[in-house]
Amino acid sequence: MDLITNNIGFGLVLTYIAFKIGIKVKKRFAVALANPLLIGIVTIIAFLLLFDIPYENYKSGGDVIHFFLGPATVILAVPLYRQIKELKKNMLPILTGVLIGSLSALVMVAAASKFAGLEPSIAASLMPKSVTMPIGLELSEALGGVTAITVISIVVTGLTGAVFAEKTVGFFKIKNEVAQGIGIGTSAHALGTTKAVEMGDVQGGMSGLASGLTGIFTAILAPFIYRLFF
Amino acid sequence: MSMVKELLMIMLVYFSGEWISQVTGILLPGNVIGMILLLFLLMVNIIKLEQIAKISALFLNNLTLFFIPAGVGIMVHYHLLEGIVVPFMTIIVVSTFLVMIITGYAVEIMQRMVNNGSDHK
């Protein structure tokens, strides 16, 4: 098995197939849990465990796809540009919303971690959970967190957003498309943005913008909030 | 424009963003700076939407694909959560919902305040 899997092609092909399976399942079953991202990840983990293939064999190909996350983020400027009028018109509500969202995320996570009796290092790993991976990892290190745990926090947060965003904004009657996009991007960063892009151009552009802004606000606020609780 | 040229343009913007991030030591990651840079270039008409139409459609329609490898990475670190899985996951899931709702409402309330303000002028 190692002969077939120990090369870059393996991770590339497996990721692509898992992605296609995710899209197929999503089209077939119109339920929130049939999220292509969730299905893709679960399919690959199951495949690797089932055939006892080491993660490292997957990683070499997976890293190639992961690299394109960079240019993919850059391209989020396109839906944002298409919504430039909305952006200019809503500048103040957007900035206030992201600031309130970032602050409440930090306070909530710090307070809940303390209440649940988690170690300060775990709390520090959790606090950057709603920002994009590159900012989150640096922030976690600066606070004294464990970066591997921060990776899990960020991914689970993003998946929660990607899977439940549409239902949540619907249930809580957040009707304005700008508010939907900012809410999703602030709470569930770029991963949640994959869902926002599906929902529409306004939501997608705003969510991409919000995930960037949340990164800045969280990086500035996190050290103060952390010291307040620990 | 061909797909390859379009991709090269995006890569150029992306690497410029990474470069600015490293040189200035700014808190923002390079890809987010790249996004702001591309938005600026579109606004001042140096790059036109048509010039990156194919590549942006390709990426935006398949955005999910690029996040899958990071998610698979969880499988090697999961053991770190032994004994704290329940509080850990509860905090993450509950706070994600609450932040989404709080932020959405905050934006809507602010929109109403801003609109009322401009009506009275």
Side-chain angles (χ1 to χ4, degrees):
Chain A
M1 203 65 182
D2 201 58
L3 203 67
I4 323 168
T5 63
N6 195 8
N7 61 69
I8 288 184
F10 172 68
L12 280 172
V13 173
L14 183 60
T15 309
Y16 189 72
I17 294 173
F19 171 64
K20 282 289 170 194
I21 293 175
I23 300 281
K24 276 253 156 63
V25 174
K26 184 201 147 207
K27 278 186 183 148
R28 187 81 181 272
F29 308 95
V31 293
L33 263 181
N35 179 280
L37 184 62
L38 185 62
I39 293 166
I41 294 169
V42 172
T43 306
I44 294 172
I45 294 181
F47 187 86
L48 296 180
L49 292 177
L50 193 65
F51 293 99
D52 208 16
I53 301 163
Y55 171 71
E56 283 65 34
N57 287 14
Y58 168 74
K59 194 175 183 292
S60 58
D63 278 348
V64 176
I65 294 176
H66 184 74
F67 167 80
F68 283 96
L69 202 51
T73 311
V74 173
I75 286 176
L76 286 177
V78 170
L80 194 58
Y81 175 68
R82 289 197 208 118
Q83 301 307 321
I84 198 81
K85 269 190 198 150
E86 288 285 328
L87 173 64
K88 283 182 180 159
K89 205 175 75 190
N90 290 286
M91 201 54 112
L92 190 64
I94 289 171
L95 288 176
T96 325
V98 178
L99 180 64
I100 291 174
S102 309
L103 189 63
S104 58
L106 287 168
V107 172
M108 244 183 263
V109 171
S113 303
K114 182 135 199 172
F115 179 75
L118 298 179
E119 300 275 328
S121 71
I122 303 287
S125 320
L126 268 169
M127 283 174 74
K129 72 179 202 67
S130 44
V131 308
T132 71
M133 206 67 87
I135 304 184
L137 295 185
E138 241 169 81
L139 194 54
S140 167
E141 246 170 69
L143 295 176
V146 184
T147 47
I149 296 182
T150 303
V151 172
I152 303 178
S153 323
I154 292 176
V155 173
V156 175
T157 299
L159 272 177
T160 307
V163 172
F164 297 108
E166 204 164 11
K167 287 262 184 298
T168 307
V169 294
F171 188 80
F172 287 92
K173 299 196 169 56
I174 299 167
K175 293 206 178 93
N176 183 276
E177 292 181 333
V178 175
Q180 291 179 349
I182 298 295
I184 297 171
T186 304
S187 60
H189 57 89
L191 260 171
T193 302
T194 59
K195 183 72 202 178
V197 168
E198 276 176 33
M199 289 165 68
D201 238 17
V202 181
Q203 290 92 328
M206 291 299 157
S207 184
L209 171 74
S211 64
L213 286 174
T214 304
I216 309 175
F217 289 160
T218 306
I220 298 169
L221 294 169
F224 297 103
I225 308 293
Y226 180 76
R227 251 173 267 145
L228 215 59
F229 284 89
F230 296 96
Chain B
M1 229 186 260
S2 76
M3 190 69 106
V4 179
K5 269 191 196 160
E6 291 192 6
L7 179 63
L8 283 176
M9 262 165 91
I10 296 296
M11 291 314 256
L12 199 64
V13 176
Y14 169 55
F15 286 128
S16 309
E18 288 289 351
W19 183 78
I20 293 171
S21 167
Q22 284 187 358
V23 170
T24 59
I26 205 167
L27 275 170
L28 278 178
N31 54 6
V32 177
I33 296 178
M35 174 179 136
I36 296 166
L37 195 60
L38 179 60
L39 181 67
F40 173 76
L41 292 172
L42 285 166
M43 285 172 74
V44 295
N45 258 327
I46 293 179
I47 295 181
K48 292 179 181 65
L49 268 187
E50 306 86 70
Q51 291 176 313
I52 50 168
K54 284 184 214 134
I55 195 76
S56 50
L58 179 76
F59 270 85
L60 290 172
N61 292 336
N62 298 289
L63 200 54
T64 305
L65 172 72
F66 306 103
F67 289 91
I68 292 178
V72 177
I74 287 186
M75 69 182 281
V76 282
H77 300 304
Y78 193 76
H79 64 96
L80 291 170
L81 298 182
E82 242 166 74
I84 54 165
V85 174
V86 175
F88 185 85
M89 291 296 169
T90 312
I91 290 172
I92 292 180
V93 173
V94 172
S95 67
T96 304
F97 281 118
L98 288 177
V99 171
M100 194 182 295
I101 299 159
I102 290 170
T103 309
Y105 283 159
V107 174
E108 286 192 337
I109 290 167
M110 280 303 292
Q111 281 173 331
R112 255 172 258 141
M113 284 169 68
V114 171
N115 288 340
N116 283 341
S118 59
D119 286 346
H120 291 302
K121 263 176 204 164

